[in-house]
Amino acid sequence: MKKLFILAIVVLSVAHFSSAQKWTVDDVVNQESLSDAIFSDDNNLVAWVKRRPAPDKDSFVSDIYLTRLNSKDKDDNFKTVQLTRGDESESNPVFSADGETIYFLSSKAKGKNLWALSLLGGEAYVVDSFDVSISQLKRLDAKTLIFKAEEGKTLYETEIEKKKDNVQVIEDSVHVKPSRLFTFDTDKKKVQRVTDNLFPISSYAISPDGKWAVTSQTMSPHYGVDGKPSPTHHLWNLTDKTSQQILVAGYQTPGNFQFAADNSGFYFTSVLSSNREWQGAGIDLLHFYALANNNVTQVNLGHDWGLGAGYDVAGSLVIGSLAKGAYNGLAFYSKNRGNWSKEIISAGNYTDHLSVVAAAKNGAKLLVGYSTASLPTQVRVAEVVKGKKGNSLVVGQELTKLNTHLAKKPMTKSEVITWTGALEEEVTGILYYPTDYDAGKKYPLIVAIHGGPSGVDMDRWADRWGYYPHLMAEKGVFTLKPNYHGSSNHGQKFVESIKGHYYEYELPDIINGIKLLNEKGYIYEDSMAVMGWSNGAILATMLTVEHPFLFKVAAVGAGDVNWTSDYGNCQFGVTFDQSYFGGAPWDNRNGKTYNEAYILKSPLFEMEKVKTPTLIFHGSEDRAVPRDQSWEYYRALQQIGQADVRFLWFPGQPHGLQKITHQQRKMTEEIAWFDKYMWGKPDKTNEAFKKGSPLAQLISKEKAKTTNGAYGEMVRGSLIPETAATKKDSIAIGKFEVTNAQFKAYSSEFSYPAGQDNFPAVVSLEQAKGYTSWLSAQTGQTYRLPSTAEAKKLHDLGLIKSAAKENTLNYWAGYDITIDDLTDFKAKLADVKSALLKEVGSFPASKVKEAEVYDLGGNVAEYASDGTTYGFGAYDFADEKAGVIMADKRSVGFRVVRE
């Protein structure tokens, strides 16, 4: 016998129902992520932070968790406990030396408190409070913490505040506020200043023995715009309180400082590019600074393309993430007398799909991220095994389960593809297939272009609100994410190739990728869309200029169209534009009194060519791409009038959308725009019609089959119940409880008050079973009552979702009635002369998988095949705390299941 609940029943309101197997906007937006992971000194504990959606705050918050690597539960998972919870964000956990306490920071009190939590028990508590917020918390030694903070308010700041003067002095170099390093003695509760720098520290690192610190200082408020002057870097001797400036010249943007485990020095990265003055894009190199002689040595990575995702010190080893195009490969580096030996890490199926999340101090254990373009990120525990033939990495089980809501979602096929692009050079990209791909058939294509331009699309999980190929794959489309010239991870020549050639190589790369798919017979060339954010939007826009009829639709977010105004308005406009366009807008070039590249490269001056319906997004507080760029874009298309255009402005949002509702709106609007212009399915939403309203309920209910006003359908001269399939080729469940009119077709002696044809039939168990036998014989199909297991699940779901709001005593009370009120309330029922039963379908329907059914929570309790009842009747109190519930016989009926 087929069972109704082969898979878990999903019961949702009609307004919010969607198939459990289909991707939704919320699935994409509401993803969790793991960060700030740290091992205890004994490697047995891991503290980490989970970022999760908080819909009530319309934002994302983070909580701290603890996982015990030396203890597992009954399912062989590491035991994990959530340490903090609430509507604020906690982060930056740090273990005490004995592993019994975790110190951390919180957004509570504007980040001015240092928090702690004992792992032996008890609630989190405030260790100390400060005048300003603190950040970058680390452990200096067994009893000392170190952090970064500003000093208290100056007299100038205090006076301005008193005057309520909110005028901003842009790039005020006179009142630069330094941030410094401070220590906190956890025993004495004493704060001490460690550094006396005059400019703000942006980052720092501490040696394992707590004797040394290296810091980077930002030297001007306009550094982010023009890269000048370059940051300074200082080495601090924390023992004798002395410091010296280091790395004075010869390195582009040194950073990511990490001390060697033996305290002999520290590693750092720098960028190798052809235009260091403007912090141009390039490749990342690795260096080592020796404390003994203050010498710097470049670590020979044995890899021309440099680092891909940085490096990590793991005990005596350094693990480098090497750039390999659409992949990153890991390698061990061992230092020996000033030289480093390299061992490529081979980890079976994990190879080239790993990233280091955290490393234990002794390097014996790691947390690694593992994913592909079709596999959501897993964080796994790995061990570094040292053998006679060298070091190896053994990847073990997951630290914890993230994003379990995606477990049953279909993961589409994806692969890394290559083709010949501009300059006859190889270009890579990620190709996502339609979910139900059928070889030999053609499909539409979405070209999804990454930002940067020195970003990169890799064979790793990347579905987010900006790009969501898995959701679009269910619509039957290919998605191509091309790594055009200028992308990182493909070597110095490739990433620098577009300097002075902006648009000239990237667009042919993308067009050639499309041609490849067309030649393979994968796509309909007349059914394509283009989308992108930031530089992805910049390229998508120029594609619609240079190829007006190539794409049926475009969706672009936070992209430039006018480089003349970008130079001064972008928060990094000077360095970016100098690097890629060669000079400032006012530079005399080619015999002109201005730099014509800023005009020739600006799509704004060619907008009359655009024919593609274009959807534009921008955040009101965006400084990475000046917010008014999209106003210029929109106004041009709107005034020219040759392409449909729609512009969505997100108040309070920076370059990347942060609010949950804004991310949802962006995706929803984008999908509707594609539906309209790619598939010819315009949004027919009636803005005056509310889902779940009484009108919506009536419209839904009127779709039910009726015969002369009675619910049901005529079969062989008898009125029988309408059923709805729970899924394709499966069993079906009665849309309503069996009605009086339907039961009378079986039993002519059955009587009921006039006008109540569509009320539920109140009958005995024997009568209900007799009816299903008769119905089976009458129709030639098998009908039955729900099984015990099915009935239990229906009961639980009806109780949770709707019982108190449907036809039960809870409904008739008109308030949240309790068991203590019940006796007196039932006594009042004696004043009621009519029955409490209502016509079936008087309340909103629920979903059982794909079946829409009514009255699961109330009206009449319903018989199961074993003689018990499930659900509640009009005379029953829906009490979720109760055990066995005896249904009032005045309201017991039944619902049929058809095989």
Side-chain angles (χ1 to χ4, degrees):
M1 179 183 291
K2 296 179 183 176
K3 295 295 182 182
L4 181 59
F5 294 93
I6 296 173
L7 298 175
I9 290 181
V10 177
V11 176
L12 297 171
S13 69
V14 175
H16 298 95
F17 174 73
S18 62
S19 170
Q21 295 302 317
K22 288 189 175 295
W23 281 87
T24 67
V25 167
D26 286 348
D27 290 333
V28 176
V29 170
N30 292 335
Q31 292 184 74
E32 305 162 338
S33 61
L34 184 151
S35 65
D36 290 7
I38 185 171
F39 284 89
S40 60
D41 287 5
D42 63 5
N43 295 354
N44 288 327
L45 305 176
V46 177
W48 51 278
V49 171
K50 179 195 286 187
R51 179 179 180 268
R52 60 173 173 83
D56 290 344
K57 293 190 68 174
D58 196 13
S59 65
F60 295 85
V61 298
S62 57
D63 307 304
I64 297 176
Y65 286 74
L66 179 74
T67 298
R68 298 184 181 275
L69 301 183
N70 57 355
S71 182
K72 293 186 177 182
D73 61 22
K74 60 181 178 62
D75 296 319
D76 200 40
N77 297 316
F78 293 120
K79 287 186 176 179
T80 297
V81 61
Q82 183 175 349
L83 299 180
T84 66
R85 46 178 47 85
D87 292 334
E88 298 292 335
S89 287
E90 282 72 45
S91 60
N92 199 171
V94 174
F95 280 104
S96 61
D98 59 13
E100 293 184 355
T101 302
I102 289 179
Y103 298 95
F104 63 94
L105 303 181
S106 173
S107 62
K108 295 174 183 175
K110 298 181 179 180
K112 297 179 181 180
N113 294 336
L114 172 64
W115 292 77
L117 191 150
S118 172
L119 299 184
L120 302 178
E123 296 182 350
Y125 58 94
V126 175
V127 178
D128 206 346
S129 298
F130 307 93
D131 293 332
V132 295
S133 63
I134 64 176
S135 63
Q136 298 186 34
L137 181 69
K138 304 176 192 287
R139 197 180 84 213
L140 185 63
D141 57 39
K143 67 172 186 175
T144 310
L145 300 173
I146 188 168
F147 57 85
K148 186 184 82 168
E150 295 180 350
E151 304 282 352
K153 293 179 181 178
T154 64
L155 177 60
Y156 171 79
E157 291 174 302
T158 302
E159 292 299 318
I160 287 290
E161 195 173 90
K162 282 183 181 178
K163 295 176 182 178
K164 297 182 179 180
D165 184 351
N166 63 355
V167 175
Q168 297 181 31
V169 178
I170 302 302
E171 297 174 359
D172 185 358
S173 58
V174 176
H175 300 100
V176 173
K177 185 84 170 181
S179 55
R180 301 185 173 105
L181 298 186
F182 299 83
T183 57
F184 180 80
D185 188 312
T186 56
D187 290 338
K188 298 178 181 179
K189 305 294 188 292
K190 182 179 179 180
V191 176
Q192 184 173 342
R193 185 183 300 105
V194 176
T195 63
D196 58 0
N197 50 288
L198 300 179
F199 291 89
I201 290 174
S202 57
S203 64
Y204 75 98
I206 300 295
S207 62
D209 61 9
K211 296 180 180 180
W212 298 91
V214 60
T215 62
S216 296
Q217 285 86 247
T218 303
M219 302 303 292
S220 81
H222 53 76
Y223 166 71
V225 178
D226 59 13
K228 297 177 180 179
S230 295
T232 61
H233 310 281
H234 294 259
L235 180 65
W236 303 80
N237 186 322
L238 301 182
T239 301
D240 62 16
K241 312 300 182 185
T242 61
S243 68
Q244 59 176 311
Q245 186 174 349
I246 59 174
L247 310 180
V248 175
Y251 304 98
Q252 180 180 326
T253 56
N256 194 7
F257 300 99
Q258 298 183 43
F259 276 86
D262 62 3
N263 302 291
S264 61
F266 61 85
Y267 294 89
F268 67 94
T269 60
S270 73
V271 175
L272 176 63
S273 80
S274 61
N275 52 351
R276 184 191 305 168
E277 177 187 7
W278 302 115
Q279 299 181 352
I283 62 172
D284 287 351
L285 306 178
L286 181 64
H287 312 269
F288 181 76
Y289 184 104
L291 294 176
N293 55 19
N294 297 321
N295 285 340
V296 177
T297 305
Q298 182 178 329
V299 177
N300 182 4
L301 297 174
H303 189 73
D304 291 342
W305 287 3
L307 295 173
Y311 73 99
D312 291 87
V313 174
S316 61
L317 298 172
V318 171
I319 302 176
S321 173
L322 305 179
K324 296 178 63 176
Y327 306 97
N328 280 329
L330 297 183
F332 291 123
Y333 293 91
S334 302
K335 183 174 179 290
N336 184 17
R337 297 182 180 179
N339 294 311
W340 284 263
S341 59
K342 174 185 178 182
E343 297 174 273
I344 293 293
I345 295 177
S346 179
N349 293 334
Y350 299 108
T351 303
D352 292 344
H353 293 284
L354 296 175
S355 61
V356 177
V357 175
K361 290 182 178 180
N362 65 3
K365 288 185 178 179
L366 304 174
L367 296 183
V368 293
Y370 167 62
S371 76
T372 70
S374 297
L375 177 69
T377 302
Q378 303 172 353
V379 177
R380 292 180 172 270
V381 179
E383 294 189 2
V384 177
V385 179
K386 298 184 177 182
K388 294 181 180 179
K389 295 183 178 181
N391 301 293
S392 61
L393 185 67
V394 179
V395 180
Q397 71 184 80
E398 288 184 76
L399 176 77
T400 187
K401 300 287 186 182
L402 295 172
N403 295 310
T404 55
H405 70 289
L406 301 182
K408 293 183 179 180
K409 302 297 175 182
M411 298 297 165
T412 194
K413 174 185 174 182
S414 62
E415 63 180 345
V416 177
I417 63 172
T418 61
W419 64 91
T420 301
L423 306 176
E424 294 299 310
E425 293 179 342
E426 182 180 86
V427 175
T428 69
I430 312 299
L431 181 65
Y432 297 82
Y433 284 68
T435 302
D436 297 321
Y437 174 67
D438 186 359
K441 287 183 60 178
K442 291 186 176 184
Y443 297 86
L445 171 68
I446 294 176
V447 180
I449 309 173
H450 70 69
S454 58
V456 63
D457 281 313
M458 304 179 68
D459 188 10
R460 65 186 176 193
W461 185 254
D463 285 53
R464 294 293 186 273
W465 59 267
Y467 308 86
Y468 37 94
H470 279 80
L471 191 153
M472 298 309 291
E474 289 188 337
K475 290 180 168 289
V477 301
F478 278 100
T479 296
L480 175 64
K481 300 173 79 172
N483 287 316
Y484 49 84
H485 275 80
S487 300
S488 62
N489 237 52
H490 291 72
Q492 184 178 3
K493 178 185 176 184
F494 195 85
V495 73
E496 293 205 77
S497 62
I498 64 171
K499 294 176 180 178
H501 299 280
Y502 211 76
Y503 298 117
E504 296 170 26
Y505 303 150
E506 307 98 294
L507 269 60
D509 289 342
I510 296 168
I511 295 299
N512 285 3
I514 294 170
K515 287 180 178 178
L516 172 70
L517 299 181
N518 189 48
E519 290 168 1
K520 286 179 172 288
Y522 285 179
I523 63 171
Y524 291 112
E525 203 173 17
D526 61 352
S527 187
M528 297 192 298
V530 64
M531 66 186 296
W533 196 270
S534 192
N535 197 72
I538 291 169
L539 295 181
T541 298
M542 189 59 91
L543 280 167
T544 66
V545 169
E546 294 194 1
H547 303 273
F549 301 103
L550 183 60
F551 299 101
K552 296 185 73 172
V553 60
V556 293
D560 282 280
V561 294
N562 184 359
W563 293 110
T564 65
S565 55
D566 176 87
Y567 187 91
N569 292 331
C570 173
Q571 65 186 19
F572 49 81
V574 176
T575 55
F576 185 95
D577 295 354
Q578 288 274 5
S579 181
Y580 287 105
F581 301 134
W586 51 80
D587 289 344
N588 298 341
R589 295 292 167 89
N590 299 327
K592 297 181 174 62
T593 59
Y594 57 91
N595 187 342
E596 65 180 353
Y598 283 82
I599 303 294
L600 297 176
K601 299 291 184 180
S602 293
L604 179 67
F605 302 104
E606 299 183 85
M607 282 292 165
E608 74 281 359
K609 296 178 181 178
V610 176
K611 304 295 188 297
T612 309
T614 303
L615 178 63
I616 303 171
F617 307 104
H618 221 122
S620 70
E621 305 307 307
D622 192 349
R623 288 294 313 283
V625 172
R627 63 185 191 176
D628 291 333
Q629 291 286 330
S630 287
W631 277 105
E632 295 184 54
Y633 194 175
Y634 168 74
R635 189 61 67 206
L637 294 183
Q638 183 262 337
Q639 286 294 302
I640 294 168
Q642 295 184 154
D644 287 354
V645 61
R646 180 173 169 86
F647 178 21
L648 272 73
W649 179 255
F650 296 95
Q653 296 298 281
H655 191 55
L657 303 182
Q658 296 177 344
K659 286 189 174 184
I660 293 174
T661 52
H662 286 171
Q663 294 180 7
Q664 292 168 332
R665 180 69 181 273
K666 184 264 183 185
M667 289 183 63
T668 301
E669 289 271 353
E670 203 163 42
I671 292 167
W673 194 255
F674 286 172
D675 282 345
K676 179 178 181 179
Y677 290 101
M678 186 120 110
W679 290 288
K681 299 177 181 177
D683 184 5
K684 296 182 180 179
T685 301
N686 186 326
E687 294 182 353
F689 177 68
K690 181 180 179 180
K691 292 181 179 180
S693 65
L695 178 59
Q697 179 187 341
L698 178 61
I699 291 172
S700 176
K701 184 178 174 182
E702 287 185 345
K703 293 178 182 178
K705 295 179 180 178
T706 60
T707 301
N708 297 325
Y711 287 121
E713 53 188 326
M714 296 298 294
V715 175
R716 297 180 183 176
S718 297
L719 182 68
I720 70 168
E722 179 186 358
T723 56
T726 57
K727 64 178 183 178
K728 186 178 180 181
D729 300 324
S730 184
I731 50 79
I733 186 171
K735 198 175 190 71
F736 303 105
E737 295 151 335
V738 173
T739 66
N740 287 327
Q742 293 164 2
F743 193 81
K744 190 170 182 63
Y746 155 67
S747 175
S748 58
E749 296 84 12
F750 182 72
S751 62
Y752 54 87
Q756 294 190 7
D757 288 355
N758 289 327
F759 280 54
V762 175
V763 298
S764 67
L765 174 63
E766 290 72 20
Q767 288 175 306
K769 288 184 174 181
Y771 179 85
T772 58
S773 296
W774 168 82
L775 188 59
S776 299
Q778 185 74 7
T779 62
Q781 296 179 297
T782 301
Y783 285 83
R784 59 179 176 85
L785 298 178
S787 68
T788 305
E790 294 166 353
K792 182 180 185 307
K793 291 182 179 180
L794 281 172
H795 176 86
D796 292 343
L797 289 166
L799 174 62
I800 294 170
K801 296 294 180 182
S802 55
K805 298 178 181 179
E806 290 195 14
N807 192 12
T808 60
L809 290 182
N810 309 61
Y811 162 78
W812 288 106
Y815 64 94
D816 292 334
I817 189 171
T818 69
I819 194 170
D820 296 317
D821 294 320
L822 199 56
T823 300
D824 289 344
F825 182 76
K826 284 185 174 181
K828 192 63 177 175
L829 291 179
D831 296 341
V832 179
K833 297 179 181 180
S834 57
L836 300 185
L837 296 181
K838 288 180 172 289
E839 181 176 304
V840 297
S842 295
F843 295 87
S846 298
K847 283 280 187 175
V848 179
K849 295 185 183 178
E850 297 176 14
E852 187 176 81
V853 297
Y854 290 83
D855 302 319
L856 270 183
N859 217 13
V860 291
E862 299 171 16
Y863 289 115
S865 59
D866 63 0
T868 60
T869 61
Y870 65 92
F872 301 91
Y875 295 90
D876 298 327
F877 171 49
D879 182 5
E880 59 182 303
K881 300 182 182 69
V884 178
I885 297 174
M886 299 299 295
D888 191 301
K889 294 190 177 188
R890 289 175 291 178
S891 54
V892 180
F894 68 107
R895 185 188 306 268
V896 298
V897 172
R898 176 173 57 80
E899 294 288 350

